[in-house]
Amino acid sequence: LKNPWGTSQKMGFHKAFKVAPIPEVISTDPMSEQAEVMLYTPITVNFDEDMQEVCITVQGMKGDVEAEGKTAVYKPHSVLLPGQEYDVKVTGRSIFGEALQPYSFKFTTLDMGDKYWVEINLRPLQKVVVYKGKKTIRSMVASGGRPEPENATPHGYFLLKDRGDRFWTESIAEGGLYWVRITGNWLIHSMPRNKDDEVIYEELIKHGIPASHGCIRLKDAQAKWFYDTIPTGTPCYIHD
């Protein structure tokens, strides 16, 4: 450019750019070094920035990660073993493309000693797994509730309650043998029967997939074993 006196003059231009911050982990659940963590526990990681992608790995486990905004949740495909330390590693990238500095933490699960405990896993193929301490005692194919809300099997942590050798539910015209109560009207029991105490074939062939009104079905011999073996008050974890 020329000034009023006819001589050339250089002009400089400066543009300021805002650098996106590096994302950081601000909290986790379980917390780092936490002890006596329940044996089925989704792992939650909270960040200070909205995240575009997150990877969470847990030593010796398989699971799925769901990330939304500043939170990511890892859902294990199965229970954790009791009295064991687990290493968790977290990586990811913010919505601005900035990489998280790899983050790791540890926690330790509840020690069950030599006690019985039960996992009801509603992922395909559905199953009931009985443990004694860290040892798997028995794994049995099962059927949980159908997907409609009124037929869904409840998820969570329960202590098994009372039991009986047979029941009949008039409203659905079905009964069963060797029932053990999970909570409320939700039971673990045999294959369903009609009013003549005959196994309902149309229900039998659905075994292993969601088929019930919310209860957990086992084959008759397995239901009797469970009824005879697993004490009242046994911890039970139900998840998908």
Side-chain angles (χ1 to χ4, degrees):
L1 296 176
K2 289 186 178 182
N3 60 28
W5 297 277
T7 57
S8 296
Q9 181 178 346
K10 291 184 177 180
M11 298 187 66
F13 293 90
H14 299 278
K15 188 172 182 179
F17 293 91
K18 184 178 179 181
V19 178
I22 303 296
E24 295 182 1
V25 173
I26 58 173
S27 66
T28 65
D29 184 17
M31 297 182 294
S32 182
E33 305 297 337
Q34 184 171 332
E36 297 190 341
V37 172
M38 300 291 275
L39 302 179
Y40 187 80
T41 299
I43 297 169
T44 301
V45 181
N46 295 305
F47 305 89
D48 65 348
E49 299 289 337
D50 289 332
M51 300 298 286
Q52 181 182 71
E53 58 186 54
V54 178
C55 177
I56 302 173
T57 58
V58 181
Q59 169 197 352
M61 299 293 294
K62 293 181 179 179
D64 300 316
V65 178
E66 295 181 1
E68 183 174 354
K70 297 178 181 179
T71 300
V73 178
Y74 173 94
K75 284 186 63 176
H77 289 176
S78 61
V79 291
L80 304 163
L81 289 178
Q84 184 162 315
E85 184 178 81
Y86 284 89
D87 294 316
V88 183
K89 299 186 185 303
V90 185
T91 58
R93 191 175 299 278
S94 75
I95 59 172
F96 303 110
E98 296 294 330
L100 173 76
Q101 184 72 23
Y103 183 89
S104 62
F105 65 99
K106 298 179 180 181
F107 64 84
T108 305
T109 50
L110 184 69
D111 189 350
M112 290 298 295
D114 199 33
K115 297 177 182 176
Y116 283 112
W117 57 285
V118 176
E119 173 189 17
I120 298 176
N121 191 331
L122 299 179
R123 293 175 57 82
L125 184 66
Q126 298 189 333
K127 59 186 177 181
V128 172
V129 186
V130 175
Y131 300 85
K132 196 171 186 183
K134 293 185 178 183
K135 184 178 179 182
T136 302
I137 299 298
R138 195 160 186 176
S139 180
M140 300 167 282
V141 175
S143 280
R146 301 198 298 265
E148 310 86 41
E150 65 272 20
N151 292 316
T153 300
H155 291 47
Y157 172 75
F158 306 92
L159 298 177
L160 297 180
K161 302 186 185 303
D162 54 317
R163 63 195 62 211
D165 58 4
R166 64 180 58 240
F167 73 93
W168 173 258
T169 303
E170 187 66 38
S171 60
I172 59 173
E174 284 184 10
L177 307 176
Y178 314 121
W179 61 268
V180 177
R181 190 181 310 277
I182 302 168
T183 186
N185 293 324
W186 290 278
L187 313 174
I188 300 169
H189 61 73
S190 71
M191 299 306 300
R193 282 158 160 71
N194 61 23
K195 63 181 179 180
D196 297 320
D197 204 28
E198 301 167 329
V199 173
I200 301 172
Y201 177 75
E202 293 81 5
E203 298 300 320
L204 176 64
I205 60 177
K206 300 174 188 174
H207 194 56
I209 63 173
S212 78
H213 296 276
C215 291
I216 302 298
R217 299 173 177 173
L218 295 171
K219 291 287 187 69
D220 289 1
Q222 294 172 337
K224 186 175 189 309
W225 177 87
F226 192 93
Y227 171 88
D228 288 339
T229 306
I230 306 306
T232 298
T234 296
C236 178
Y237 298 84
I238 305 179
H239 68 90
D240 59 12

